[in-house]
Every structure is written in C-alpha cells, then in structure tokens.
Amino acid sequence: MGMLARLSSCLSSCPALQNSVPICDRSLIMVSWRGIYFILFLFAGSFLGSIFMLGPILPLMIINLSWYRWISSRLVAMWLTLPVALLETMFGVKVVITGDAFVPGERSVIIMNHRTRVDWMFLWNCLMRFSYLRLEKICLKSSLKSVPGFENNKARSNDFAEKNGLQKYEYVLHPRTTGFTFVVDRLREGKNLDAVHDITVAYPYNIPQTEKHLLLGDFPKEIHFHVQRYPVNTLPTSKEDLQLWCHKRWEEKEERLRSFYQGEKTFLFTGQSTVPPCKSELRVLVVKLLSILYWTLFCSAMCLLIYLYSPVRWYFIISNVFFVLQERIFGGLEIIELACHRFLHKHPHLNSKKNE
C-alpha cells in the first residue's frame, strides 16, 4: 500500500484540455478542506496499513511466497477501495463505463491514455466494478519510481512526432511502445496473457491536472471510461507490427476524444458490452461504505494503540526504520520479493519440503 500510494502516472498539460472550472477565493477555502481531508485520509490509510497490516506478513515472503502474494494482494485491494469510496461517496464523482468490460479472472494488459497526473487513481473506480483491484499490478520504470508523475508532456510528445514523422496529437500523447511490446511479448512467451484492454478516459467537465487540484478540492464531476478488449490471438506477432498496432489504437483515441469534447461529452457507443460489470451498483455502494467505515476505525484504533502502549510504539518505530532501510538498500519490497522468487525457483526442493 505504501508503494502503491507513491505510484503515479502523469500526462499531458494540453492547453485545450485544461478547462477546469475556476473557483472563487471564498469557496477555495471551503473546498480545500475536502482536498486536505482526502489526501490525509489516503496517506494515513496507506502509511498505517503498511505498518500494521503489511508489516506482520513480511516473513511469509521467505516462509511461503505464494501465501504472501495471496494475502498482500488482498490487503492492497482493501486500500484501493478507499480512494474510490471517497471520490464517489463523499465528493460525488460520477463514473460512466462503456464498451467491452473485463472477463473475470482474465490475465490482461491494460493500456490507457493518461490525461492528467492523477488519472492512475481514477482508474481504480473502473476496475473495482469488475473485481480487478486485487489483480492489478503496475509496471513502472525504475527511474520514475520516486518521481511524482511521468516525465512526459505535450511538448515532448510533439518533438517525438516531428523526429519520427508522425502527426501531432491534440488530446493524447504519442505512446512509447517499447515497454508495451516488451510486456506483451514476455507474457505471451509464458502463455500468461489472455487479452489487451484499451481504455480511453475522458472528463466532460473539469479536469484536475495535478495533485494540487485534488488538494484544493477540485475533484472531477464525471469520469468516462470506454473499454475495448482485444483477445491475445488477434494481436500481431512481430514486435514491429505490435508497435504499429499500439500507434493505431492511439490514433483511434485521438479521434474518439475529439468527438467526445467537440460533441455531446459522451462516448458514442452503439454496441453492447460483451461482459457486464461483476458488481451491481448496489454492491459497489456497500463496498464503498464498508471501506470508509473500516479505514476510519482502523486508522483511529492504530493511532490510539500507538499513544497508549509502549510495545506498539516500539513496533511502530522499528517498522518505520525497516521500511526506510529496505528502500535505501534494496530499492523496495518488490525487489526483495523478486529475489525470493528467483531463489526459490533455483532451489525448488525448498518449496517441496514446505508443502510436505
């Protein structure tokens, strides 16, 4: 949870898209409390969850890695429901999903046009409706791990287009296809890929561009997701053709978003979703309410325990020192997890002994 709270994907500062509704000085003070509450609540849940929920299961990484992954993925998913719940329940964000949706249990690579520095968080509103939160894994270049947002912008996208003889986009940035083709090829080699889901995201009203907008309480009124599913057997086989396939999807996104913003601010989708959401809106509402209740009680209880009991304070201090040191020395828990995975695969007899 601590790692996921730091992951952010950035994108475009396109002037044509920065149509956030201006806020008067008097209301700015009022809505800023919503933003402060939102940021602090998410940080508290992520920080205390890492210490008191993820921390105690870390030894499982060595004892039984599969158990660690099973438990940790569910703990992370519990935290991911919190921003969804706050955005929709407390701040009134409306989510509209059209297109093909997701097949439950399917192994998929998700590609999405990043419109802002914070839309990585809004994607969770979509994935929760298809029970995908615990399955989501974020691929991020190591050089961007500690950077609050990708280093791309519209100017660089235009420079890239000029150097490569490509058209300049107004509503999306040119995709960097190297990472996409690498991930798809490796997953296909191991027969671990069923489909690619292409998600187009749009904001019909205000578009919060950065974390500062959220801090000031400028939450999007509506978020529209259009999902297109491509079975793995329909993808090109060669790397070059796969790169061209990805560029073609971005050309379609550009036209789709142009129609969206210049038209009725909705994706014109006349087809029928092949798979409906796993969760009904009633079930989604129940999950959101339970999430707010749980994290409110959990954060309050952990703060109280730290204040009242010295053993808990010592555990809290030692855990913080451990998390800081492992980040500085090894580069993060995910690096340690990968090392454990490789070690156990080199010594499979250790796994067999544990299972006996």
Side-chain angles (χ1 to χ4, degrees), residues 171-202:
Y171 295 94
V172 296
L173 302 184
H174 278 278
R176 301 300 194 262
T177 57
T178 303
F180 169 72
T181 54
F182 174 80
V183 171
V184 170
D185 285 341
R186 293 301 298 269
L187 290 176
R188 284 198 295 196
E189 287 176 8
K191 301 185 184 302
N192 290 315
L193 182 64
D194 299 312
V196 170
H197 282 84
D198 177 18
I199 299 180
T200 304
V201 59

Side-chain angles (χ1 to χ4, degrees), residues 158-266:
N158 289 338
D159 291 340
F160 177 82
E162 290 181 0
K163 292 179 181 178
N164 293 274
L166 302 172
Q167 71 177 82
K168 294 181 180 180
Y169 289 143
E170 184 69 18
Y171 295 94
V172 296
L173 302 184
H174 278 278
R176 301 300 194 262
T177 57
T178 303
F180 169 72
T181 54
F182 174 80
V183 171
V184 170
D185 285 341
R186 293 301 298 269
L187 290 176
R188 284 198 295 196
E189 287 176 8
K191 301 185 184 302
N192 290 315
L193 182 64
D194 299 312
V196 170
H197 282 84
D198 177 18
I199 299 180
T200 304
V201 59
Y203 306 83
Y205 301 109
N206 57 322
I207 307 177
Q209 291 288 330
T210 67
E211 295 85 352
K212 180 180 178 181
H213 287 82
L214 298 184
L215 188 61
L216 296 178
D218 184 18
F219 300 99
K221 293 180 175 63
E222 288 187 15
I223 311 172
H224 290 234
F225 298 96
H226 184 72
V227 184
Q228 290 183 291
R229 177 183 178 272
Y230 297 90
V232 66
N233 57 10
T234 66
L235 300 178
T237 55
S238 70
K239 180 179 179 180
E240 292 75 16
D241 289 341
L242 192 58
Q243 289 176 334
L244 292 175
W245 181 91
C246 187
H247 280 291
K248 181 64 176 178
R249 303 289 77 77
W250 253 249
E251 292 176 6
E252 294 173 354
K253 286 177 183 291
E254 174 76 4
E255 293 305 314
R256 188 177 299 118
L257 288 168
R258 188 186 308 278
S259 299
F260 182 95
Y261 286 104
Q262 295 181 0
E264 299 179 359
K265 301 295 182 65
T266 184

Side-chain angles (χ1 to χ4, degrees), residues 52-89:
F52 291 103
M53 294 171 61
L54 187 61
I57 70 166
L58 290 180
L60 285 177
M61 197 182 294
I62 301 174
I63 299 172
N64 194 309
L65 187 57
S66 62
W67 287 6
Y68 169 79
R69 287 177 171 173
W70 189 90
I71 298 173
S72 63
S73 64
R74 282 155 178 79
L75 293 180
V76 171
M78 287 177 62
W79 181 82
L80 294 180
T81 62
L82 180 58
V84 176
L86 293 176
L87 288 170
E88 296 186 25
T89 304

Side-chain angles (χ1 to χ4, degrees), residues 62-63 343-356:
I62 301 174
I63 299 172
F343 177 80
L344 292 175
H345 273 67
K346 288 182 180 179
H347 303 81
H349 62 282
L350 295 178
N351 273 334
S352 61
K353 287 182 179 180
K354 291 176 183 177
N355 295 328
E356 290 177 356

